[in-house]
Amino acid sequence: MTISPDDATRHAEKMARIKAARDKIMMGKTGEKGLVIVHTGPGKGKSSAGFGMVLRCIAHQMPCAVVQFIKGAWDTGERRLLTTHFATLCQFHAMGEGFTWETQDKARDIAAAQAGWKKAKELIRDPAIRMVLLDEINIALRYEYLDVDEVVAFLLTEKPPSTHVVLTGRNAKPALIEAADLVTEMTAVKHPFRDGIKAQPGVEF
């Protein structure tokens, strides 16, 4: 593709205007705080995004932790990676025992969720830990294994000012969405499961 001198000049002028506007916006964004982050929606990628943020923390030498609700019994790639290579920077607590249709024991599921939340509160209260990922906690909240009002109140009143907390899982409760600083909804457009493709290592776990 050949770019004429006039096209190159117009492009440079346009990009300069965009940069000036962007720089002006960024000048006013100087605050920092620990965020409550929610990844929800029916699409794939909620946990994956959360674990990506954990890896960023590790790269910055920021201590972090994971509490895995519901699917904690799975042998996942992220669990292997974090416990094998980054255990000094990231604590990993697999508290779930499988999806509800696998355990088929509501009392057991509630007990596992409550134990996970107890561990989560302990980790979040520790000011040395900069990020805590609560993976699939939204599922436990959806089934009312945990009280959403208690979770929200804790995050708003007891979370240290510089600590980030990431909560994943579909069907996030409205009260949690309202309290969060950052909410992303993953939208399902296509998924190979519909075509008979099973969950695969490196993609789903």
Side-chain angles (χ1 to χ4, degrees):
M1 180 178 179
T2 302
I3 300 174
S4 71
D6 287 345
D7 285 344
T9 299
R10 282 193 295 270
H11 177 77
E13 291 173 347
K14 179 180 178 182
M15 293 301 107
R17 290 194 298 272
I18 291 173
K19 183 179 185 310
R22 184 70 180 168
D23 289 347
K24 185 177 180 180
I25 291 171
M26 295 305 292
M27 284 177 62
K29 310 296 183 185
T30 57
E32 290 187 7
K33 62 173 286 191
L35 303 175
V36 175
I37 301 166
V38 175
H39 295 159
T40 192
K44 175 177 162 45
K46 298 176 287 292
S47 294
S48 300
F51 280 107
M53 299 178 82
V54 166
L55 288 175
R56 285 178 180 163
C57 286
I58 290 170
H60 288 290
Q61 297 294 303
M62 297 164 59
C64 52
V66 176
V67 179
Q68 221 168 23
F69 293 79
I70 308 300
K71 63 183 181 185
W74 284 20
D75 176 23
T76 62
E78 54 266 28
R79 181 177 178 178
R80 287 189 191 183
L81 177 70
L82 294 173
T83 57
T84 302
H85 297 285
F86 302 110
T88 58
L89 273 173
C90 183
Q91 298 183 46
F92 200 109
H93 300 275
M95 309 297 290
E97 297 189 51
F99 288 100
T100 54
W101 57 85
E102 293 172 338
T103 62
Q104 300 177 19
D105 187 333
K106 186 174 182 179
R108 181 173 153 189
D109 291 339
I110 291 172
Q114 294 285 346
W117 177 234
K118 181 179 179 181
K119 173 56 69 174
K121 289 190 289 184
E122 173 190 320
L123 296 165
I124 293 169
R125 285 189 179 113
D126 183 350
I129 298 176
R130 297 295 308 282
M131 176 178 283
V132 180
L133 170 59
L134 307 181
D135 188 38
E136 300 288 3
I137 190 174
N138 290 340
I139 305 301
L141 291 168
R142 176 190 179 190
Y143 287 114
E144 299 184 346
Y145 298 164
L146 301 173
D147 183 342
V148 66
D149 292 332
E150 178 192 343
V151 171
V152 168
F154 177 86
L155 293 174
L156 294 178
T157 62
E158 294 197 47
K159 180 183 74 64
S162 63
T163 301
H164 305 297
V165 179
V166 184
L167 306 94
T168 73
R170 60 176 63 200
N171 300 115
K173 293 278 191 176
L176 180 60
I177 291 173
E178 178 65 26
D181 301 289
L182 172 60
V183 180
T184 299
E185 183 172 12
M186 309 296 187
T187 301
V189 178
K190 292 180 72 176
H191 198 294
F193 187 76
R194 296 173 181 171
D195 296 323
I197 307 300
K198 68 178 182 179
Q200 300 177 84
V203 179
E204 275 83 18
F205 59 92

